[in-house]
Amino acid sequence: MKFLTKINRNYLILFSVILLVISFSTYFVLKTIIKENIKENLMVTGAFIKKQIAETNRIPELKPFIEIIQLSGKSGKNKQFKDVILFNAKENEEEVYIEYSEIIQANNAYYLIKIREASVESEDLAISIAVVIFILLLIAFVISYLITRRLNKTIWHRFEYNLKEIENFNFKENKAIQLRASNIDEFDRLNQVIKNLTDKLKKDFLSLKEFTENASHEIQSPLTIASLNLEETLQQKLSEESFKKVVIAINAIQRLTVLNHNLLLLTKIENNQFAASDFIVLNELIENKIQEFDPLLREKNIQIEFISQSVFQVKMNLNLAGILINNLLSNAVNHNIDNGTIRITVDQNEMTICNTGTVNELTDETIFNRFVKGNSKSYGLGLAIVKQICDTHQLEIHYSKNEFHCFTISQKIATL
Amino acid sequence: MKILIVEDEIELLIAISNYLTKENYICELAENFAKAYEKITIYEYDIILLDITLPDGNGLELLKSIKKYNLKAGIIILSARDSLDDKIIGLDEGADDYITKPFKLTELNSRVKALLRRLNYTGSNILVFNEISINTDSKTIAIHDKQLTLTKKEYDILLYLIINQNRVLTKEAIAEHLWEDNIDLTDSYDFIYTHLNNIRKKIKAAGGADYITTLYGMGYKFTDQ
């Protein structure tokens, strides 16, 4: 969930609760206050009536609000409040009144006076005040919500921008990360940390890259010297044992050379050192490579089927494209069985190369990892190079196994 | 034939020079840019083997000087940098061939011979070994003046053997020469064995002698001795 959404959601829930609690408590508090107020009024009115009776000795008639009854003697409670329901003929409904009754003594006579006030009015008042408060609070809330949202957006805008910048950051592009200052200490501190981290990572990445390249170069010369000297040794009269030892040494150096060459190639592809400058029609390239491989295919008596349905064109360095097809074909030959089959299908934006082979030779997509070998004779880098070429050229490669081992290369559809 | 070898690794320089001297070339050595530059401006060479990574200067600069002072010389770049871009630049600047370290001396020899043929130093495009004669232009082989039909790979193998006659060649060296880039082909060694047998049979059938000696099942030598 987005930070802002989360904050807003919490804000909303919390405010709804607060709004309800405040509205209801306002209602009850007001109700009590108003009721007390009415009671006070009623008592004042009672005192006033008592004074009037004492002075005029006459009973005022003000039904239903004031009722005065002359009593023969003092009986019952002196003062009391109670809620009564009376019928209002004018509005044709029953209404609740608060009634204040008091027995007073004036001019040696006892009177029971009942003073009433419609409590509906007080209830209505409490409700309307609570509603008004509710509406006011609601308006205040909506305004503050909008303001906060607006503020958040401006405050978080740069953060979002920086986040996007970090997401799109790629070490392989030789570009430093560009973060915007936000004038907010916490964010700026985060930016600084990220900047330091990426700079450090970039430096490590570059030095690792340089190391691989330099190490590979530096290894070439001693390898050459060793191999040349061994080759010369081979020309001398040697016993069978010595001869075999020298040949084994030469072959080991040869393996090292190939390994070194392939690792260097991988590094270079990774570093995008091959400009994708040529439009390669893979169909033609495959056709040529099949001819090149022909003697080897005959050797193992491998049948090759090439089904060219449509032209598959890729933008790639010519040599890399050659290596790509080469490695795939080498793989199909190396892992094939005698009298086996290789089937190559090329369609628009897709090519598949399938070969017969032993059942459990290749397992899953880990075959694209470096030094994963199907048999001990190979170097375990051929498919890693294929994968790397695909990765740097918007191509996807998949491996699937049924009765054939199949590698499918397809063009990634550009998502805009 | 006079060859100038420019290479900063002394041991490598000596190994190349020893080998080429045995092949009857006159070798001169330069282990740095300054020495190489001096020699290029004073003497004339038929072939210059040039390492482009030198401690005191760029070999590509030397290439320009060669084109200025030693126009007739054929140039083969020796490089530890097997980047394809370097190769293209080198060839664009006027180098005739490009060989990546580590290389086999026999491979270097083939390249030198091929370059000499291209530059027409030998005066002929016919390579003769006893009754076998190879026309490197038309890529045809004749035995006792009778045409011998070989596949392209068989032709390549035979040419390589004859150029490097009297030298022990491993199966792997022959395979490497044949396939160059197809380095991951683990089965190509068996292929060499089959094809050498085919070549033997074909030469024998055409009335030629068997000059291919097998050494302990691991190496081959093309020799009439």
Side-chain angles (χ1 to χ4, degrees):
Chain A
M1 195 190 290
K2 266 194 159 187
F3 183 82
L4 275 183
T5 323
K6 178 115 185 153
I7 285 212
N8 284 342
R9 179 174 292 187
N10 288 350
Y11 192 56
L12 218 89
I13 292 169
L14 205 69
F15 203 87
S16 309
V17 172
I18 290 173
L19 200 62
L20 283 175
V21 168
I22 287 184
S23 304
F24 277 104
S25 43
T26 308
Y27 166 72
F28 285 113
V29 168
L30 274 175
K31 201 175 148 181
T32 323
I33 290 173
I34 290 168
K35 208 162 180 176
E36 283 309 309
N37 202 15
I38 289 171
K39 283 176 184 173
E40 195 112 329
N41 278 344
L42 292 177
M43 276 168 82
V44 169
T45 314
F48 183 73
I49 289 167
K50 183 182 169 185
K51 199 179 152 213
Q52 217 175 30
I53 291 170
E55 279 171 6
T56 59
N57 209 11
R58 213 166 45 86
I59 299 166
E61 189 65 36
L62 291 158
K63 252 184 168 176
F65 296 106
I66 298 167
E67 206 177 320
I68 301 162
I69 303 155
Q70 194 164 14
L71 299 172
S72 50
K74 196 185 172 189
S75 69
K77 275 185 190 160
N78 194 12
K79 285 181 184 178
Q80 78 168 9
F81 284 101
K82 68 173 179 201
D83 287 336
V84 292
I85 296 165
L86 294 175
F87 187 76
N88 186 340
K90 210 164 116 195
E91 292 187 20
N92 195 25
E93 60 180 14
E94 286 185 326
E95 282 181 343
V96 180
Y97 286 84
I98 301 175
E99 186 188 84
Y100 171 65
S101 54
E102 190 186 353
I103 297 165
I104 56 162
Q105 196 190 4
N107 304 331
N108 297 318
Y110 288 98
Y111 302 91
L112 169 68
I113 58 168
K114 290 179 174 174
I115 309 160
R116 300 185 188 104
E117 193 147 327
S119 77
V120 179
E121 279 167 27
S122 72
E123 180 95 20
D124 284 351
L125 190 65
I127 289 176
S128 44
I129 290 175
V131 166
V132 165
I133 285 178
F134 179 86
I135 290 169
L136 283 178
L137 280 175
L138 194 69
I139 290 169
F141 162 70
V142 168
I143 289 171
S144 90
Y145 174 81
L146 289 176
I147 289 173
T148 332
R149 215 174 69 156
R150 186 68 196 253
L151 260 170
N152 277 342
K153 272 216 173 125
T154 40
I155 288 172
W156 289 94
H157 173 74
R158 289 183 177 203
F159 181 81
E160 292 270 358
Y161 173 89
N162 288 344
L163 204 61
K164 213 161 253 162
E165 192 76 355
I166 295 165
E167 274 172 359
N168 294 335
F169 182 64
N170 184 354
F171 286 115
K172 286 171 192 168
E173 287 166 23
N174 210 7
K175 220 168 60 183
I177 193 158
Q178 296 289 335
L179 298 178
R180 279 190 198 167
S182 57
N183 294 329
I184 298 166
D185 286 349
E186 287 83 353
F187 288 176
D188 286 346
R189 248 169 66 206
L190 185 70
N191 286 356
Q192 197 53 47
V193 169
I194 288 169
K195 218 171 154 52
N196 292 346
L197 268 177
T198 50
D199 285 351
K200 171 93 177 54
L201 278 172
K202 197 161 191 138
K203 237 171 82 187
D204 289 354
F205 177 76
L206 283 177
S207 64
L208 185 69
K209 197 176 102 176
E210 245 167 54
F211 172 79
T212 321
E213 267 193 72
N214 289 345
S216 289
H217 283 153
E218 291 309 311
I219 286 167
Q220 313 268 48
S221 288
L223 278 179
T224 313
I225 293 165
S227 125
L228 293 195
N229 282 296
L230 283 169
E231 225 188 297
E232 282 311 287
T233 313
L234 202 61
Q235 307 310 319
Q236 291 157 11
K237 276 226 168 305
L238 297 173
S239 67
E240 180 172 358
E241 204 191 339
S242 309
F243 185 89
K244 284 188 173 167
K245 279 181 181 164
V246 173
V247 171
I248 288 166
I250 289 177
N251 290 345
I253 287 174
Q254 177 61 22
R255 277 183 72 84
L256 258 183
T257 306
V258 173
L259 211 61
N260 192 39
H261 172 91
N262 282 350
L263 279 174
L264 195 59
L265 181 66
L266 260 176
T267 316
K268 280 178 180 163
I269 300 168
E270 237 168 52
N271 297 344
N272 288 320
Q273 271 169 277
F274 297 99
S277 48
D278 313 302
F279 278 103
I280 314 287
V281 177
L282 284 182
N283 310 53
E284 289 170 14
L285 191 65
I286 292 169
E287 197 112 37
N288 291 339
K289 287 287 170 192
I290 289 175
Q291 273 170 21
E292 247 179 71
F293 274 75
D294 187 58
L296 280 167
L297 297 170
R298 278 165 199 263
E299 181 75 18
K300 271 189 145 182
N301 197 22
I302 293 169
Q303 296 298 315
I304 192 151
E305 297 166 23
F306 180 39
I307 306 153
S308 175
Q309 285 166 337
S310 183
V311 171
F312 184 10
Q313 201 180 40
V314 287
K315 194 161 190 261
M316 197 187 270
N317 177 294
L318 179 63
N319 288 300
L320 272 195
I323 292 167
L324 180 77
I325 302 301
N326 227 357
N327 286 4
L328 281 173
L329 265 175
S330 301
N331 185 71
V333 173
N334 285 343
H335 294 277
N336 220 321
I337 47 172
D338 285 346
N339 309 315
T341 308
I342 295 175
R343 184 180 298 152
I344 306 171
T345 319
V346 180
D347 211 334
Q348 199 178 3
N349 298 327
E350 191 174 282
M351 69 159 279
T352 306
I353 172 162
C354 295
N355 63 279
T356 46
T358 46
V359 184
N360 284 325
E361 216 165 352
L362 302 167
T363 47
D364 49 34
E365 304 261 333
T366 57
I367 53 168
F368 295 118
N369 292 352
R370 294 175 188 191
F371 303 116
V372 173
K373 323 176 186 185
N375 63 32
S376 57
K377 276 195 290 178
S378 73
Y379 297 97
L381 282 174
L383 288 178
I385 290 172
V386 167
K387 177 92 167 82
Q388 193 65 56
I389 294 174
C390 288
D391 285 352
T392 45
H393 289 84
Q394 282 81 48
L395 294 172
E396 266 174 31
I397 181 155
H398 287 294
Y399 167 67
S400 61
K401 185 172 72 177
N402 34 47
E403 56 177 319
F404 285 90
H405 299 273
C406 291
F407 290 90
T408 305
I409 291 182
S410 53
Q411 201 129 38
K412 272 185 205 165
I413 308 300
T415 43
L416 294 170
Chain B
M1 293 293 149
K2 232 169 108 186
I3 297 183
L4 173 67
I5 310 164
V6 185
E7 167 63 60
D8 61 318
E9 293 274 346
I10 302 291
E11 284 165 87
L12 195 54
L13 188 62
I14 290 166
I16 296 171
S17 142
N18 282 347
Y19 171 76
L20 290 176
T21 310
K22 259 192 255 168
E23 293 285 316
N24 296 319
Y25 296 102
I26 301 152
C27 294
E28 288 203 14
L29 314 180
E31 73 276 13
N32 55 38
F33 185 94
K35 222 169 182 178
Y37 184 80
E38 194 188 309
K39 284 186 184 283
I40 286 164
T41 47
I42 300 173
Y43 307 107
E44 278 207 0
Y45 298 95
D46 301 310
I47 298 271
I48 296 172
L49 304 180
L50 183 63
D51 179 4
I52 40 177
T53 40
L54 294 169
D56 56 341
N58 188 336
L60 290 173
E61 285 300 311
L62 274 181
L63 202 56
K64 286 177 191 151
S65 311
I66 295 168
K67 285 288 139 192
K68 201 165 158 193
Y69 299 105
N70 234 313
L71 198 58
K72 278 198 286 177
I75 304 160
I76 298 175
I77 291 178
L78 316 174
S79 177
R81 286 199 267 169
D82 62 340
S83 101
L84 299 162
D85 290 341
D86 274 1
K87 194 167 182 170
I88 292 160
I89 293 168
L91 297 178
D92 277 354
E93 290 290 332
D96 298 286
D97 205 351
Y98 188 103
I99 186 165
T100 310
K101 289 179 194 171
F103 48 80
K104 296 239 169 358
L105 289 173
T106 45
E107 183 62 36
L108 180 64
N109 186 30
S110 289
R111 303 283 187 105
V112 170
K113 290 250 169 77
L115 182 55
L116 286 174
R117 284 201 304 274
R118 279 220 303 280
L119 298 174
N120 257 326
Y121 278 109
T122 48
S124 152
N125 49 20
I126 309 284
L127 211 76
V128 179
F129 185 90
N130 296 346
E131 69 270 27
I132 305 170
S133 70
I134 300 181
N135 184 326
T136 51
D137 275 351
S138 60
K139 299 202 170 185
T140 49
I141 297 172
I143 292 180
H144 297 305
D145 300 322
K146 218 172 79 197
Q147 200 73 19
L148 181 74
T149 322
L150 295 180
T151 65
K152 190 182 174 299
K153 290 290 172 198
E154 285 167 352
Y155 168 86
D156 287 342
I157 294 174
L158 187 61
L159 184 63
Y160 188 64
L161 285 172
I162 291 179
I163 284 173
N164 294 298
Q165 53 190 262
N166 295 322
R167 271 187 78 85
V168 178
L169 304 167
T170 59
K171 276 189 290 191
E172 291 78 6
I174 300 172
E176 202 190 324
H177 171 76
L178 284 187
W179 297 106
E180 282 183 63
D181 294 334
N182 302 353
I183 40 187
D184 243 9
L185 286 170
T186 48
D187 290 329
S188 54
Y189 307 141
D190 303 330
F191 165 80
I192 301 296
Y193 174 79
T194 327
H195 277 244
L196 276 169
N197 275 345
N198 287 344
I199 295 170
R200 267 181 176 143
K201 275 186 219 153
K202 283 184 182 175
I203 292 178
K204 224 170 164 183
D210 183 10
Y211 297 111
I212 302 172
T213 320
T214 311
L215 291 145
Y216 313 119
M218 295 181 109
Y220 299 94
K221 195 170 175 178
F222 197 88
T223 181
D224 57 354
Q225 283 153 20

